[in-house]
């Protein structure tokens, strides 16, 4: 349990670790889904190809979209891409970094599905069973069949219980031939994905490390800024609701006193703490205007340092800040001739 707790805490440490954990879980789920999937080839000439390629390509596309849906940064990326220019410019490099980061994580589960499917070989066997070279692997002395009859016989290769062309080509030979091709494609796909990941990880710092660090930093900043803004809005909403409820009950108590009802005495509540958190925004219209202003013109990323006091007061306007003098350190070096 302690190991699972440590792994869970690691996944919750930051946004990237959380998304890496989600992608790992999706990759494991894809393998479990394929192992639990009941593959039934239709064994018909015009449907085998569609069924086999559909099982090979459609679930990875769904898993790819699901990876984007489960990524919390997709809404942040869309918001940053669609927001007006305002007082803060939009950096295309940051948007590209966010999209590439999400796409790389979303590709993990589809890549696992394609790899497992190709290594298993059922989809390729079902899709391309009618393309088996009978002249090379089959019995050429068998009575010649028409093209349609040949396709119907070969289409039943994945269905061993209804296959009736043993004299033409053995079922085991055809299945082993297609499965070998499928496994070769699977290992090539795994090697290609591994080489691409290796090149991206190893060559990217050699060319654009500074730009990569800048994009990564501002991507983290946008994520943290959004979280802090949501927390601030939630805190303001809580304080706003608290003050509204207090004013409502105070008004009700005033009405009850006016009707000569005796209320129990209680210590007066201090609304000062809740009022301070309102930051001067005390009505719905002003709050809506503040939210629209945050979306339309976010403040520029330029924090001005406060003015520093001098010996007799504050620094005059237009004068550079004076830094306190640092005591000079003297060092002595001794040389000896040996």
């Amino acid at each position: 349990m302690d190991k699972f707790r440590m792994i869970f805490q690691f996944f919750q440490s930051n946004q990237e670790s959380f998304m890496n954990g989600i992608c790992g879980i999706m990759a494991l789920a894809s393998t479990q889904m394929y192992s639990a999937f009941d593959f039934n080839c239709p064994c018909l000439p015009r449907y085998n190809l569609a069924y086999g390629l559909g099982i090979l390509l459609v679930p990875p596309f769904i898993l790819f979209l699901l990876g984007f849906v489960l990524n919390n940064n997709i809404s942040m990326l869309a918001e940053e891409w669609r927001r007006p220019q305002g007082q803060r410019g939009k950096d295309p490099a940051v948007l590209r970094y966010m999209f590439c980061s999400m796409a790389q994580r979303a590709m993990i589960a589809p890549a696992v599905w394609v790899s497992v499917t190709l290594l298993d070989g059922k989809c390729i066997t079902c899709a391309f069973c009618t393309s088996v070279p009978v002249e090379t692997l089959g019995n050429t002395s068998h009575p010649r069949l028409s093209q349609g009859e040949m396709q119907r016989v070969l289409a039943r290769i994945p269905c061993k219980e209804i296959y009736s062309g043993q004299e033409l080509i053995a079922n085991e030979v055809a299945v082993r031939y297609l499965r070998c091709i499928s496994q070769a494609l699977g290992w090539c796909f795994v090697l290609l994905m591994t080489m691409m990941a290796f090149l991206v990880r190893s060559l990217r710092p050699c060319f654009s490390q500074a730009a990569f660090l800048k994009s990564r930093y501002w991507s983290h900043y946008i994520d943290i800024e959004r979280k802090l803004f949501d927390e601030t809005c939630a805190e303001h909403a809580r304080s706003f609701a608290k003050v509204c409820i207090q004013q409502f009950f105070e008004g009700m108590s005033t009405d009850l006193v006016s009707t000569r009802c005796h209320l129990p005495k209680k210590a007066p509540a201090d609304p000062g703490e809740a009022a301070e958190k309102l930051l001067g925004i005390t009505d719905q219209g002003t709050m809506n205007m503040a939210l629209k202003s945050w979306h339309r013109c976010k403040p520029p990323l330029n924090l001005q340092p406060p003015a520093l006091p001098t010996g007799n007061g504050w620094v005059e306007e237009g004068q550079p800040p004076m830094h306190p003098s640092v005591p000079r350190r003297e060092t002595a070096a001794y040389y000896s001739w040996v």
Side-chain angles (χ1 to χ4, degrees):
M1 292 301 295
D2 294 337
K3 294 182 178 180
F4 286 106
R5 189 180 297 109
M6 292 176 60
I7 295 174
F8 186 71
Q9 290 176 356
F10 172 74
F11 285 158
Q12 286 186 327
S13 60
N14 53 55
Q15 183 69 14
E16 287 192 355
S17 299
F18 176 75
M19 291 313 305
N20 290 335
I22 292 295
C23 293
I25 293 174
M26 287 184 59
L28 294 176
S30 65
T31 57
Q32 293 297 324
M33 288 171 57
Y34 183 80
S35 61
F37 177 70
D38 188 12
F39 188 88
N40 292 314
C41 185
C43 295
L44 296 173
R46 290 180 294 180
Y47 297 97
N48 284 8
L49 182 63
Y51 183 82
L53 294 183
I55 298 301
L56 179 64
L57 300 178
V58 173
F61 180 72
I62 297 175
L63 292 173
F64 181 74
L65 295 181
L66 188 61
F68 270 100
V69 171
L70 294 179
N71 199 319
N72 296 329
N73 292 335
I74 185 63
S75 59
M76 182 177 64
L77 174 62
E79 179 183 353
E80 184 68 15
W81 179 52
R82 293 293 300 172
R83 72 172 176 86
Q85 188 75 12
Q87 299 180 8
R88 182 190 302 179
K90 293 184 286 186
D91 192 353
V94 177
L95 299 179
R96 286 195 301 268
Y97 171 81
M98 295 169 62
F99 178 79
C100 293
S101 178
M102 288 185 293
Q104 290 174 5
R105 293 187 177 93
M107 282 293 295
I108 296 177
V112 171
W113 177 277
V114 174
S115 301
V116 172
T117 305
L118 290 176
L119 293 176
D120 184 54
K122 293 180 181 177
C123 290
I124 298 298
T125 303
C126 179
F128 298 101
C129 58
T130 56
S131 301
V132 175
V134 181
E135 296 80 4
T136 305
L137 303 176
N139 185 9
T140 56
S141 62
H142 189 270
R144 184 172 182 83
L145 300 175
S146 64
Q147 187 67 24
E149 293 175 350
M150 180 76 71
Q151 294 292 321
R152 283 193 296 270
V153 171
L154 295 179
R156 297 177 181 178
I157 290 177
C159 305
K160 187 176 181 180
E161 61 278 2
I162 62 174
Y163 180 66
S164 59
Q166 292 289 344
E167 297 82 3
L168 179 63
I169 181 173
N171 181 270
E172 294 79 5
V173 174
V175 170
R176 181 169 296 184
Y177 172 79
L178 294 173
R179 184 167 295 178
C180 290
I181 295 178
S182 179
Q183 290 178 353
L185 292 175
W187 285 116
C188 290
F189 180 79
V190 173
L191 179 61
L192 178 63
M193 293 292 104
T194 306
M195 289 299 298
M196 288 180 60
F198 171 76
L199 292 176
V200 169
R201 289 286 186 178
S202 60
L203 297 182
R204 182 172 56 186
C206 300
F207 295 98
S208 58
Q209 182 66 12
F212 171 74
L213 291 176
K214 183 190 71 172
S215 302
R216 184 176 182 179
Y217 174 84
W218 290 116
S219 174
H220 291 329
Y221 173 83
I222 294 173
D223 184 26
I224 295 173
E225 184 186 51
R226 184 186 183 188
K227 291 180 180 178
L228 291 177
F229 184 78
D230 292 341
E231 293 175 1
T232 304
C233 290
E235 186 178 0
H236 183 276
R238 181 181 296 274
S239 302
F240 193 87
K242 184 177 181 179
V243 173
C244 285
I245 293 173
Q246 287 179 351
Q247 291 180 357
F248 170 75
F249 280 101
E250 288 175 359
M252 288 295 297
S253 62
T254 303
D255 295 340
L256 292 176
V257 169
S258 62
T259 56
R260 299 179 181 180
C261 294
H262 299 284
L263 299 175
K265 295 183 179 181
K266 63 177 182 179
D270 185 16
E273 181 180 357
E276 289 179 359
K277 295 181 180 179
L278 294 177
L279 302 176
I281 303 177
T282 57
D283 62 283
Q284 183 179 3
T286 307
M287 189 63 200
N288 292 338
M289 184 174 62
L291 295 175
K292 292 179 181 179
S293 177
W294 175 262
H295 173 69
R296 292 176 180 175
C297 50
K298 289 186 178 181
L301 301 177
N302 184 16
L303 303 180
Q304 299 295 335
L308 299 176
T310 59
N312 57 353
W314 294 92
V315 176
E316 297 180 2
E317 185 177 359
Q319 296 292 331
M322 301 297 294
H323 298 282
S325 60
V326 180
R328 184 177 178 180
R329 298 177 59 185
E330 296 182 359
T331 58
Y334 298 93
Y335 299 90
S336 63
W337 298 87
V338 180

